[in-house]
Amino acid sequence: MRAGLLEYLRCPVCRGRVSLTSKKEARREIKEGLLECLTCPETYRVANFIPLMLPQGHPHQDLDTVELWGFQWTCERLNLETRYYDDDFLDLEFSEWHVPKEWFPNKMVLDAGAGNGRHSLILNRLGCQLFAMDLSAAIEAMLFRPEFEGIHLIRGDIALPPFEHGFFDLVLARQVLQHTEDPPRTIKELAKVTKPGGFFVGSMYMTPESPWARMKIRLIDLLRRLFRPLPRRFIYYFTWLAVPLYKHKLLRPLARVLFIQSKYDQSDAFTWNLNHDQYITSYQATY
């Protein structure tokens, strides 16, 4: 954590300022420390150079579930941590956002649910002051890598953003809102930290129009709930079944019932990633 981040952080419960009461430094940054709210009794830790802005005794998203999402992007076997979006892909997204790249220099931008930095990598080239926030340890993939130089990294629940209201010129929350336990509440909280006249860019999984696809969603929802008490290792291996089932011509119909596959990336690792993402939690909102 760079010392300059302290100026911007706020207690997510009361929005009060926080002070650094103890610290251990390394590499010219704060490696470990304790942050205390100056307004309420809440305290927060700095661990492995990143502040963990989760209030004690306050409801927030389940950490165990979130860490499984982080595992997807940091598992060495999958090598997905190197899969970042390229400029061509983001050019398409910028056209959807209606935010020209020339607008970004010196703007305050939040990448909410940043994961391993797939969007942060592109945004960091645009001259903005970038804050990347995620609840999982996947965010540590950005530590001390030159392409992420200058980004403020925060671990916390995006439904409890630790910033002043009206702080950001743009808040980006792509491919994450459906993973939160209460997406409407999360959107409202992120909107509060967006400046009046600023931009909020989000995405949700949409409820499909076809009856077959809606039935498939209901089936997967049912299986999620049935799998919840089972060991996480079971879900890991169950979702790996998607890979051979999609490859085998006779078994592909079963794969299409139980699993999903991307039209754009049908590699083994990404097919597993999509399905592990679907099954690791008992909730997955669609709208």
Side-chain angles (χ1 to χ4, degrees):
M1 170 182 154
R2 288 182 290 142
L5 178 57
L6 193 63
E7 175 186 350
Y8 305 118
L9 285 177
R10 297 292 182 270
C11 172
V13 175
C14 69
R15 309 289 174 177
R17 289 182 172 273
V18 295
S19 65
L20 185 65
T21 58
S22 63
K23 64 179 180 179
K24 179 180 179 181
E25 295 187 21
R27 304 182 67 156
R28 298 183 181 179
E29 294 196 17
I30 300 162
K31 182 179 181 180
E32 298 175 5
L34 183 68
L35 298 168
E36 293 186 355
C37 178
L38 299 176
T39 307
C40 75
E42 292 289 347
T43 60
Y44 307 92
R45 293 186 301 114
V46 180
N48 193 26
F49 299 98
I50 299 176
L52 179 61
M53 302 301 294
L54 279 181
Q56 302 295 320
H58 196 85
H60 52 72
Q61 187 156 306
D62 176 52
L63 278 170
D64 290 337
T65 299
V66 170
E67 283 307 326
L68 287 167
W69 278 309
F71 162 75
Q72 293 175 184
W73 297 102
T74 55
C75 177
E76 292 182 5
R77 178 182 177 186
L78 301 177
N79 199 31
L80 287 174
E81 71 272 12
T82 61
R83 294 189 176 206
Y84 294 101
Y85 295 146
D86 58 23
D87 288 329
D88 292 339
F89 186 91
L90 264 293
D91 281 340
L92 173 63
E93 295 211 349
F94 273 101
S95 67
E96 295 178 352
W97 302 352
H98 302 288
V99 185
K101 293 183 179 180
E102 297 74 23
W103 173 88
F104 279 85
N106 302 315
K107 296 295 194 298
M108 294 288 192
V109 176
L110 173 65
D111 185 0
N116 68 339
R118 291 172 294 159
H119 286 101
S120 295
L121 180 69
I122 304 298
L123 293 169
N124 201 38
R125 299 172 185 168
L126 302 179
C128 58
Q129 183 145 356
L130 183 59
F131 298 74
M133 181 174 172
D134 199 90
L135 192 48
S136 81
I139 199 170
E140 295 178 6
M142 288 187 264
L143 279 170
F144 305 118
R145 292 175 58 174
E147 60 267 41
F148 297 109
E149 181 69 30
I151 300 178
H152 292 297
L153 304 179
I154 305 105
R155 288 188 67 183
D157 190 340
I158 61 172
L160 294 166
F163 303 99
E164 286 185 344
H165 289 174
F167 180 71
F168 290 105
D169 297 287
L170 181 142
V171 171
L172 175 68
R174 277 204 78 253
Q175 300 179 338
V176 66
L177 293 171
Q178 67 275 356
H179 293 324
T180 62
E181 292 178 294
D182 188 348
R185 172 176 164 256
T186 302
I187 293 170
K188 288 178 182 178
E189 292 301 319
L190 289 173
K192 289 177 184 177
V193 298
T194 308
K195 290 180 179 178
F199 292 91
F200 176 88
V201 179
S203 66
M204 286 292 304
Y205 289 164
M206 302 304 293
T207 302
E209 294 182 1
S210 89
W212 156 246
R214 288 200 295 271
M215 288 175 61
K216 181 173 178 176
I217 284 178
R218 292 191 186 100
L219 174 61
I220 292 177
D221 281 341
L222 174 62
L223 291 175
R224 285 193 197 105
R225 289 174 173 81
L226 293 175
F227 290 169
R228 188 171 195 179
L230 298 177
R232 297 299 186 184
R233 185 169 292 274
F234 169 84
I235 297 171
Y236 174 85
Y237 287 115
F238 172 78
T239 50
W240 264 115
L241 284 175
V243 174
L245 290 182
Y246 267 110
K247 287 181 176 179
H248 199 291
K249 185 178 295 186
L250 293 177
L251 297 176
R252 194 171 299 149
L254 178 60
R256 294 182 64 191
V257 171
L258 296 174
F259 302 112
I260 58 175
Q261 190 174 52
S262 169
K263 293 187 296 184
Y264 308 105
D265 186 346
Q266 297 182 1
S267 66
D268 293 355
F270 199 74
T271 296
W272 171 81
N273 173 270
L274 282 178
N275 288 285
H276 189 258
D277 183 270
Q278 289 288 320
Y279 278 104
I280 58 177
T281 178
S282 61
Y283 57 87
Q284 182 92 282
T286 56
Y287 287 86

Short mmCIF file of all heavy atoms in Angstrom, two decimals, residues 123-149:
data_model
loop_
_atom_site.label_atom_id
_atom_site.label_comp_id
_atom_site.label_asym_id
_atom_site.label_seq_id
_atom_site.Cartn_x
_atom_site.Cartn_y
_atom_site.Cartn_z
N LEU A 123 -7.07 0.08 -18.55
CA LEU A 123 -7.38 1.39 -17.99
C LEU A 123 -6.12 2.12 -17.54
O LEU A 123 -6.02 3.35 -17.62
CB LEU A 123 -8.35 1.24 -16.82
CG LEU A 123 -9.76 0.76 -17.16
CD1 LEU A 123 -10.53 0.41 -15.89
CD2 LEU A 123 -10.52 1.82 -17.95
N ASN A 124 -5.14 1.36 -17.05
CA ASN A 124 -3.93 1.97 -16.52
C ASN A 124 -3.08 2.63 -17.60
O ASN A 124 -2.17 3.39 -17.29
CB ASN A 124 -3.09 0.92 -15.77
CG ASN A 124 -2.12 1.54 -14.79
OD1 ASN A 124 -2.45 2.53 -14.13
ND2 ASN A 124 -0.93 0.99 -14.68
N ARG A 125 -3.37 2.35 -18.86
CA ARG A 125 -2.63 2.97 -19.96
C ARG A 125 -3.23 4.31 -20.38
O ARG A 125 -2.69 4.97 -21.26
CB ARG A 125 -2.64 2.04 -21.18
CG ARG A 125 -1.98 0.69 -20.94
CD ARG A 125 -2.21 -0.19 -22.14
NE ARG A 125 -1.70 -1.55 -21.94
CZ ARG A 125 -1.98 -2.57 -22.74
NH1 ARG A 125 -2.76 -2.39 -23.80
NH2 ARG A 125 -1.48 -3.77 -22.49
N LEU A 126 -4.36 4.68 -19.77
CA LEU A 126 -5.12 5.83 -20.27
C LEU A 126 -4.87 7.11 -19.49
O LEU A 126 -5.53 8.12 -19.72
CB LEU A 126 -6.62 5.50 -20.25
CG LEU A 126 -7.03 4.28 -21.07
CD1 LEU A 126 -8.53 4.04 -20.98
CD2 LEU A 126 -6.62 4.46 -22.53
N GLY A 127 -3.94 7.08 -18.52
CA GLY A 127 -3.57 8.31 -17.82
C GLY A 127 -4.49 8.70 -16.69
O GLY A 127 -4.42 9.82 -16.19
N CYS A 128 -5.37 7.78 -16.25
CA CYS A 128 -6.26 8.09 -15.12
C CYS A 128 -5.61 7.67 -13.82
O CYS A 128 -4.61 6.94 -13.80
CB CYS A 128 -7.60 7.37 -15.29
SG CYS A 128 -7.47 5.57 -15.42
N GLN A 129 -6.16 8.14 -12.69
CA GLN A 129 -5.74 7.66 -11.38
C GLN A 129 -6.65 6.49 -11.05
O GLN A 129 -7.85 6.66 -10.81
CB GLN A 129 -5.85 8.75 -10.32
CG GLN A 129 -5.35 8.28 -8.97
CD GLN A 129 -4.66 9.38 -8.19
OE1 GLN A 129 -4.50 10.49 -8.67
NE2 GLN A 129 -4.24 9.09 -6.98
N LEU A 130 -6.08 5.29 -11.03
CA LEU A 130 -6.88 4.06 -11.01
C LEU A 130 -6.83 3.39 -9.65
O LEU A 130 -5.76 3.22 -9.06
CB LEU A 130 -6.37 3.10 -12.09
CG LEU A 130 -7.13 1.80 -12.27
CD1 LEU A 130 -8.60 2.04 -12.63
CD2 LEU A 130 -6.47 0.96 -13.37
N PHE A 131 -8.01 2.97 -9.17
CA PHE A 131 -8.17 2.21 -7.94
C PHE A 131 -8.78 0.87 -8.32
O PHE A 131 -9.85 0.82 -8.92
CB PHE A 131 -9.09 2.94 -6.96
CG PHE A 131 -8.58 4.28 -6.52
CD1 PHE A 131 -8.62 5.38 -7.39
CD2 PHE A 131 -8.08 4.46 -5.24
CE1 PHE A 131 -8.16 6.62 -6.99
CE2 PHE A 131 -7.63 5.70 -4.83
CZ PHE A 131 -7.66 6.78 -5.71
N ALA A 132 -8.09 -0.23 -8.00
CA ALA A 132 -8.58 -1.58 -8.30
C ALA A 132 -8.99 -2.25 -7.01
O ALA A 132 -8.20 -2.34 -6.07
CB ALA A 132 -7.51 -2.39 -9.02
N MET A 133 -10.24 -2.72 -6.96
CA MET A 133 -10.78 -3.28 -5.72
C MET A 133 -11.39 -4.65 -5.99
O MET A 133 -12.15 -4.83 -6.94
CB MET A 133 -11.84 -2.34 -5.15
CG MET A 133 -12.46 -2.80 -3.84
SD MET A 133 -13.55 -1.51 -3.18
CE MET A 133 -14.32 -2.38 -1.83
N ASP A 134 -11.03 -5.62 -5.14
CA ASP A 134 -11.60 -6.96 -5.25
C ASP A 134 -11.54 -7.58 -3.86
O ASP A 134 -10.68 -7.23 -3.05
CB ASP A 134 -10.83 -7.81 -6.25
CG ASP A 134 -11.64 -9.02 -6.71
OD1 ASP A 134 -12.37 -8.88 -7.71
OD2 ASP A 134 -11.55 -10.09 -6.09
N LEU A 135 -12.44 -8.53 -3.61
CA LEU A 135 -12.46 -9.17 -2.30
C LEU A 135 -11.57 -10.40 -2.24
O LEU A 135 -11.20 -10.86 -1.18
CB LEU A 135 -13.91 -9.54 -1.94
CG LEU A 135 -14.19 -9.97 -0.50
CD1 LEU A 135 -13.57 -9.03 0.52
CD2 LEU A 135 -15.69 -10.08 -0.26
N SER A 136 -11.20 -10.93 -3.39
CA SER A 136 -10.39 -12.15 -3.40
C SER A 136 -8.91 -11.82 -3.46
O SER A 136 -8.50 -10.70 -3.80
CB SER A 136 -10.76 -13.03 -4.60
OG SER A 136 -10.13 -12.57 -5.78
N ALA A 137 -8.10 -12.83 -3.17
CA ALA A 137 -6.64 -12.67 -3.21
C ALA A 137 -6.11 -12.58 -4.63
O ALA A 137 -4.92 -12.32 -4.82
CB ALA A 137 -5.97 -13.82 -2.47
N ALA A 138 -6.97 -12.77 -5.64
CA ALA A 138 -6.51 -12.66 -7.02
C ALA A 138 -5.92 -11.29 -7.32
O ALA A 138 -5.07 -11.15 -8.20
CB ALA A 138 -7.68 -12.95 -7.98
N ILE A 139 -6.35 -10.28 -6.57
CA ILE A 139 -5.85 -8.92 -6.80
C ILE A 139 -4.35 -8.82 -6.54
O ILE A 139 -3.67 -7.93 -7.07
CB ILE A 139 -6.64 -7.91 -5.94
CG1 ILE A 139 -6.48 -6.50 -6.51
CG2 ILE A 139 -6.25 -7.99 -4.47
CD1 ILE A 139 -7.41 -5.49 -5.89
N GLU A 140 -3.81 -9.75 -5.76
CA GLU A 140 -2.38 -9.73 -5.48
C GLU A 140 -1.55 -10.03 -6.72
O GLU A 140 -0.34 -9.79 -6.72
CB GLU A 140 -2.05 -10.74 -4.37
CG GLU A 140 -2.68 -10.37 -3.03
CD GLU A 140 -2.40 -11.39 -1.94
OE1 GLU A 140 -1.61 -12.33 -2.20
OE2 GLU A 140 -2.95 -11.26 -0.83
N ALA A 141 -2.18 -10.54 -7.77
CA ALA A 141 -1.46 -10.78 -9.02
C ALA A 141 -0.92 -9.49 -9.63
O ALA A 141 -0.01 -9.53 -10.46
CB ALA A 141 -2.37 -11.49 -10.03
N MET A 142 -1.48 -8.34 -9.22
CA MET A 142 -1.02 -7.06 -9.77
C MET A 142 0.15 -6.45 -9.01
O MET A 142 0.73 -5.47 -9.45
CB MET A 142 -2.20 -6.06 -9.78
CG MET A 142 -3.25 -6.36 -10.81
SD MET A 142 -4.49 -5.04 -10.92
CE MET A 142 -5.76 -5.70 -9.88
N LEU A 143 0.50 -7.04 -7.87
CA LEU A 143 1.55 -6.44 -7.04
C LEU A 143 2.90 -6.43 -7.76
O LEU A 143 3.36 -7.45 -8.26
CB LEU A 143 1.69 -7.23 -5.73
CG LEU A 143 0.69 -6.93 -4.62
CD1 LEU A 143 0.82 -7.96 -3.50
CD2 LEU A 143 0.89 -5.52 -4.07
N PHE A 144 3.52 -5.26 -7.80
CA PHE A 144 4.90 -5.07 -8.23
C PHE A 144 5.15 -5.57 -9.65
O PHE A 144 6.24 -6.02 -9.98
CB PHE A 144 5.87 -5.75 -7.24
CG PHE A 144 5.68 -5.27 -5.83
CD1 PHE A 144 5.29 -6.16 -4.84
CD2 PHE A 144 5.84 -3.93 -5.51
CE1 PHE A 144 5.09 -5.72 -3.54
CE2 PHE A 144 5.64 -3.48 -4.22
CZ PHE A 144 5.27 -4.37 -3.23
N ARG A 145 4.14 -5.49 -10.49
CA ARG A 145 4.33 -5.77 -11.91
C ARG A 145 4.31 -4.43 -12.65
O ARG A 145 3.43 -3.60 -12.42
CB ARG A 145 3.25 -6.70 -12.44
CG ARG A 145 3.36 -8.10 -11.86
CD ARG A 145 2.23 -9.01 -12.26
NE ARG A 145 2.10 -9.14 -13.71
CZ ARG A 145 1.25 -9.98 -14.29
NH1 ARG A 145 0.47 -10.75 -13.55
NH2 ARG A 145 1.17 -10.07 -15.60
N PRO A 146 5.27 -4.19 -13.54
CA PRO A 146 5.40 -2.87 -14.15
C PRO A 146 4.17 -2.40 -14.90
O PRO A 146 3.87 -1.20 -14.93
CB PRO A 146 6.61 -3.03 -15.09
CG PRO A 146 6.82 -4.50 -15.24
CD PRO A 146 6.32 -5.12 -13.98
N GLU A 147 3.41 -3.34 -15.50
CA GLU A 147 2.23 -2.93 -16.26
C GLU A 147 1.10 -2.42 -15.37
O GLU A 147 0.16 -1.79 -15.84
CB GLU A 147 1.72 -4.07 -17.15
CG GLU A 147 1.31 -5.32 -16.40
CD GLU A 147 2.42 -6.34 -16.27
OE1 GLU A 147 3.57 -5.93 -16.02
OE2 GLU A 147 2.14 -7.54 -16.41
N PHE A 148 1.20 -2.69 -14.05
CA PHE A 148 0.19 -2.21 -13.11
C PHE A 148 0.75 -1.11 -12.20
O PHE A 148 0.14 -0.78 -11.18
CB PHE A 148 -0.32 -3.37 -12.25
CG PHE A 148 -1.03 -4.45 -13.04
CD1 PHE A 148 -0.44 -5.70 -13.22
CD2 PHE A 148 -2.26 -4.22 -13.62
CE1 PHE A 148 -1.08 -6.69 -13.94
CE2 PHE A 148 -2.91 -5.20 -14.35
CZ PHE A 148 -2.32 -6.44 -14.51
N GLU A 149 1.87 -0.57 -12.56
CA GLU A 149 2.52 0.46 -11.75
C GLU A 149 1.58 1.65 -11.55
O GLU A 149 0.93 2.13 -12.48
CB GLU A 149 3.79 0.94 -12.44
CG GLU A 149 4.57 1.98 -11.66
CD GLU A 149 5.20 1.43 -10.39
OE1 GLU A 149 5.54 0.23 -10.36
OE2 GLU A 149 5.32 2.21 -9.43
#
